[in-house]
Amino acid sequence: MNQRNTSVKIGRISLLLTSLFLSLPVIKQLIVFLIILLPMVAQAEASSLTEILDTAERLGLASHPTWLKLLHYERNGIHSEVLTDNFFLSPKGRSNPNDELTATLTAYFAPWDENTNEHARCRFPARYFWLSQQLSLPGYNLREPKCNRLEKWALFDSVQSVSLLLVSGYMGNPASTFGHALFKLNTDSIDDKTGLFDLTLNYGALVPENENTLRYVVRGLFGGYVAGFSDKYFYTEDLVYSRTEFRDIWDYRLELSDYERTLLILHIWEIIGKKFKYYFLDKNCVYRLAELLELVIEEELLDNARFWYVPVELFHRLNDIDRSRRESGTKLIHSVRFIPSRQRILYHRLKLLTPDEIDAFNTILQEGTNSMSAKLAMFTTDQQIKILDALLAYQKYRLIAEEPDPDPKRREAKDRILLARLQLPARSTPPLEVPELPSPAQGSRPMVFGIGIAGESNGESFLRLHWSPFKQDLVGQNSLEGNELVVLDLAVGFNNNEHKIFVDQLDLIRVRKLNTKQVAVVDESPLSWQLRISATRIEDNKEKHYDGVMSFGIGYAWKWNESFTGYGIVDLAAHTHYPLIRLRPHLGMIIGLETIRGWLYVGAESVNYNSDFRGIWGGQVQYQLTDRYSISVGVTNEKATRASAGLNWYW
């Protein structure tokens, strides 16, 4: 009976409350409804978060390789290499991936405030995109309307593919000697066929202005700088690398799935502006870009990155993966496009001029624009147009290279040339077809180990082992246009008769830069040069000694055709053995065929300070067995008349 009375009372109270609720205005009804509903929603969200956290723990997502890569944890998983605090949502996120996962999932349910772009969903879209593939995130939207800055930057409807760019080496900066790498987001816009307005991702050290070169090298080697990612339009990178430093670029367009491309782009958004420690030899630009690419492909890219990692190594690895994938009917590299430097384009334009036209071109450069009218008068209108177009191209090329302080006289000369050109009829000129230069990654790998036998005229012979972490030498298949760059080339000998192991030769650095441009321009240096710092084992009074050498030489080079290059150089060398200062004039020839490359030289070296010289000569021939192996044979009379033969392994 009491239970029945209670039920009746509850029914009457419910009826009374319903009547009161319905008697309220509509707005007040809504407010009351929300007051009742909000605790229920909060309870549901808390329940959902708890379930999601439990599921994430059960799946082990905190230790998942992709999650650790998203946080940029070291490869041993101890802590993240990102130095910027706001990259983490948890105070312990840098060293505890589980705490960071919990904080990330909790932040997903945080209410939106007025500055919606600062919400975790907008700041870390790659994390949530990946987590949405592993968990059921309520209300997840890849393109969250409230993240308007991300929506504008990511160009979801415009980016068609992603490219890795390999930039050739640049001797003007120690950090750029071995090349550089960039990411590029390709939109394939009809209005921008060259992609100058595509976004690129760059990674570099933050170096103070006017930093001392020695200090720069030391700090770069030992982690004295921080570095970060920056995004810019490709035309700004093209201005620096192609138009100012005259570096060639190879565009490797990658074949990524929609998921892979989206995850990569979203993570680039997360990492822009974040700081890392910078190490010149290993944790450099190409290492960080390889880390980003490893986020979305299954294959390892950094398995060989132990103590150093140069840009071309990544592209060799991409080639390996691409060959492996193609065996199963897929691919990683869609295409490779050569982007020539402005200097290369200019010289190709000048090469199309006749000898008389190039003479007029040089005369106007040398004597100034005052002689322009008289010099051009002897040519037809079409020839005048060709000469003036070439002069305009040259002045633009030099003005950009001289930024930020170009010569005012050069700008004035350009304006006068432009005025003269405007007085002639308009002509449509087809785009220049600049011959493509093969990518450095099409040749041998830069690291080499060799084993061979060397024999000298005195009957001594020994086993010879040599190794170099970076070797682009004259007879190698990775040499570009006959140039040479070798670092830490070590040769060790083993004499079986005397049971001795000795250092036969150590080249700290060996550089040869041959200027083989086939058009002489009066304002451009025609000189070639070479540098060598080494220690070599010599015989003096029947005893073996080591002679330290630092030499620098300048001269001229010429290219007869694609297979034959010649040069003449005079070296000035400092030695630790008498004579301490030596002159060394010599001539050389480089022969480059498809699988065989050779180098021959002949000259003289001073032996005292009385102008006495001894003849020097030598040569080397290398036959490429595969992209990994080659056989080399050499002969020289440098230390003694010596012949050698060996097998080289590139890796």
Side-chain angles (χ1 to χ4, degrees):
M1 190 68 179
N2 292 336
Q3 184 177 359
R4 180 180 178 185
N5 291 337
T6 302
S7 299
V8 171
K9 289 180 180 179
I10 292 174
R12 290 175 178 175
I13 293 171
S14 299
L15 183 61
L16 178 62
L17 290 174
T18 302
S19 300
L20 289 172
F21 178 76
L22 293 174
S23 66
L24 294 173
V26 175
I27 296 178
K28 290 185 177 181
Q29 289 180 15
L30 180 60
I31 293 173
V32 171
F33 178 76
L34 290 175
I35 291 172
I36 297 171
L37 183 64
L38 282 175
M40 298 172 61
V41 172
Q43 184 178 1
E45 286 188 351
S47 175
S48 178
L49 174 59
T50 301
E51 292 174 1
I52 287 174
L53 290 174
D54 290 342
T55 304
E57 184 177 1
R58 187 175 68 254
L59 295 175
L61 296 186
S63 58
H64 194 285
T66 302
W67 179 248
L68 297 178
K69 290 174 183 177
L70 283 166
L71 299 182
H72 288 266
Y73 267 66
E74 289 182 324
R75 301 184 78 78
N76 57 15
I78 294 176
H79 61 78
S80 172
E81 294 187 280
V82 179
L83 303 177
T84 307
D85 290 337
N86 68 5
F87 183 69
F88 306 98
L89 291 168
S90 166
K92 298 180 181 179
R94 184 175 284 112
S95 58
N96 191 322
N98 187 64
D99 277 13
E100 187 64 17
L101 178 62
T102 300
T104 300
L105 290 171
T106 303
Y108 180 82
F109 295 93
W112 296 85
D113 56 22
E114 292 183 0
N115 190 359
T116 57
N117 287 298
E118 291 302 314
H119 194 282
R121 293 199 201 184
C122 302
R123 291 171 54 203
F124 302 106
R127 296 187 191 182
Y128 292 121
F129 179 58
W130 178 73
L131 287 170
S132 73
Q133 309 297 308
Q134 322 301 319
L135 305 166
S136 179
L137 296 179
Y140 174 75
N141 188 356
L142 170 62
R143 298 174 66 170
E144 173 57 57
K146 295 177 182 178
C147 302
N148 48 56
R149 285 196 311 203
L150 171 62
E151 178 73 18
K152 182 179 179 180
W153 178 90
L155 301 173
F156 289 105
D157 298 322
S158 301
V159 176
Q160 303 300 313
S161 64
V162 176
S163 287
L164 263 175
L165 306 183
L166 174 59
V167 185
S168 63
Y170 174 59
M171 296 295 181
N173 183 346
S176 300
T177 302
F178 304 104
H180 191 54
L182 305 161
F183 261 127
K184 181 169 174 285
L185 309 183
N186 305 310
T187 59
D188 297 335
S189 171
I190 298 176
D191 299 328
D192 181 26
K193 293 184 178 180
T194 56
L196 290 176
F197 287 92
D198 289 340
L199 276 177
T200 57
L201 182 73
N202 200 351
Y203 179 85
L206 305 177
V207 182
E209 290 187 14
N210 303 318
E211 183 78 305
N212 177 273
T213 302
L214 180 59
R215 177 182 172 86
Y216 172 69
V217 171
V218 172
R219 293 187 67 184
L221 288 173
F222 298 102
Y225 297 114
V226 296
F229 291 98
S230 61
D231 59 327
K232 298 178 181 178
Y233 289 122
F234 178 60
Y235 76 80
T236 62
E237 307 294 0
D238 179 71
L239 181 65
V240 173
Y241 299 115
S242 176
R243 299 170 186 265
T244 303
E245 298 177 353
F246 310 136
R247 301 164 72 175
D248 297 310
I249 301 173
W250 290 266
D251 181 325
Y252 281 68
R253 182 167 294 214
L254 304 178
E255 192 84 6
L256 301 178
S257 67
D258 290 341
Y259 168 79
E260 291 169 339
R261 187 175 68 250
T262 301
L263 180 60
L264 178 60
I265 293 173
L266 292 178
H267 185 57
I268 289 173
W269 167 262
E270 294 178 345
I271 206 66
I272 288 172
K274 305 304 185 287
K275 301 298 186 293
F276 296 77
K277 276 279 187 180
Y278 177 79
Y279 294 90
F280 171 64
L281 291 180
D282 54 359
K283 304 294 179 67
N284 49 29
C285 66
V286 69
Y287 184 96
R288 296 300 178 198
L289 294 185
E291 277 187 327
L292 294 182
L293 190 55
E294 274 191 337
L295 176 67
V296 299
I297 67 172
E298 296 179 359
E299 296 87 352
E300 288 280 338
L301 297 174
L302 294 168
D303 48 343
N304 287 334
R306 297 294 184 265
F307 305 104
W308 52 84
Y309 197 61
V310 295
V312 72
E313 291 187 69
L314 171 58
F315 292 85
H316 277 293
R317 181 68 181 129
L318 294 181
N319 284 336
D320 289 343
I321 296 171
D322 185 64
R323 282 193 291 268
S324 177
R325 286 192 180 189
R326 286 176 186 269
E327 292 177 358
S328 59
T330 60
K331 57 185 176 181
L332 176 61
I333 300 173
H334 178 273
S335 60
V336 180
R337 179 171 66 97
F338 176 56
I339 305 175
S341 70
R342 287 295 115 179
Q343 186 181 67
R344 189 176 298 277
I345 294 172
L346 172 71
Y347 273 86
H348 183 70
R349 177 190 289 274
L350 296 179
K351 189 178 175 182
L352 300 178
L353 299 180
T354 66
D356 288 341
E357 291 166 350
I358 196 66
D359 284 344
F361 171 90
N362 277 319
T363 300
I364 294 169
L365 283 183
Q366 190 170 29
E367 298 179 0
T369 53
N370 291 332
S371 64
M372 186 164 52
S373 298
K375 197 66 183 175
L376 293 176
M378 62 184 70
F379 294 97
T380 66
T381 299
D382 285 342
Q383 288 179 307
Q384 290 180 33
I385 290 173
K386 286 174 60 180
I387 296 169
L388 288 172
D389 284 346
L391 285 166
L392 271 176
Y394 180 78
Q395 296 295 2
K396 290 178 182 177
Y397 148 84
R398 291 304 306 166
L399 283 168
I400 294 174
E402 292 171 4
E403 288 289 350
D405 298 309
D407 186 351
K409 293 182 179 178
R410 188 178 299 281
R411 191 179 301 278
E412 182 181 342
K414 189 208 79 170
D415 292 342
R416 289 181 179 176
I417 295 168
L418 178 59
L419 182 61
R421 176 63 184 89
L422 291 173
Q423 295 173 1
L424 297 176
R427 290 283 190 275
S428 60
T429 56
L432 289 175
E433 297 292 335
V434 180
E436 290 199 3
L437 194 65
S439 164
Q442 289 183 233
S444 304
R445 285 165 167 75
M447 191 183 304
V448 60
F449 173 79
I451 181 170
I453 297 175
E456 297 183 350
S457 56
N458 59 8
E460 180 183 3
S461 62
F462 55 89
L463 179 69
R464 194 171 189 264
L465 307 176
H466 81 269
W467 169 84
S468 174
F470 190 90
K471 193 170 190 178
Q472 290 181 330
D473 61 343
L474 293 181
V475 296
Q477 289 292 332
N478 56 9
S479 171
L480 292 178
E481 302 181 302
N483 294 317
E484 183 175 48
L485 174 60
V486 180
V487 178
L488 199 63
D489 193 10
L490 172 66
V492 176
F494 175 71
N495 190 314
N496 189 42
N497 295 328
E498 300 179 9
H499 300 289
K500 287 184 179 180
I501 298 177
F502 53 89
V503 174
D504 187 47
Q505 186 167 317
L506 172 62
D507 284 3
L508 295 178
I509 188 167
R510 193 167 70 244
V511 183
R512 183 177 281 108
K513 193 74 173 174
L514 299 182
N515 185 347
T516 56
K517 300 179 183 67
Q518 297 177 333
V519 179
V521 179
V522 293
D523 276 7
E524 299 280 295
S525 172
L527 295 177
S528 298
W529 60 274
Q530 63 184 25
L531 170 70
R532 181 182 178 191
I533 302 175
S534 67
T536 185
R537 184 171 175 262
I538 63 171
E539 184 173 326
D540 186 15
N541 294 325
K542 297 185 179 181
E543 292 185 2
K544 297 293 185 180
H545 300 277
Y546 287 97
D547 182 20
V549 181
M550 183 170 67
S551 67
F552 179 77
I554 57 175
Y556 295 91
W558 54 95
K559 195 168 190 174
W560 287 300
N561 54 46
E562 293 302 315
S563 301
F564 293 91
T565 300
Y567 67 88
I569 288 180
V570 178
D571 287 330
L572 178 63
H575 290 251
T576 57
H577 271 253
Y578 180 88
L580 302 180
I581 304 296
R582 306 180 196 178
L583 279 177
R584 179 189 170 99
H586 64 284
L587 299 173
M589 177 183 291
I590 303 167
I591 305 166
L593 303 177
E594 188 170 343
T595 57
I596 299 177
R597 293 180 66 89
W599 171 47
L600 305 172
Y601 69 92
V602 60
E605 183 179 60
S606 59
V607 295
N608 52 41
Y609 301 126
N610 297 322
S611 301
D612 293 328
F613 285 79
R614 72 179 182 92
I616 58 168
W617 51 266
Q620 187 177 1
V621 176
Q622 182 164 296
Y623 177 73
Q624 201 75 23
L625 298 170
T626 69
D627 61 345
R628 290 278 189 163
Y629 297 96
S630 69
I631 296 174
S632 62
V633 177
V635 61
T636 177
N637 75 332
E638 291 282 334
K639 297 176 282 185
T641 302
R642 172 189 288 189
S644 61
L647 175 68
N648 302 311
W649 174 37
Y650 301 92
W651 54 295

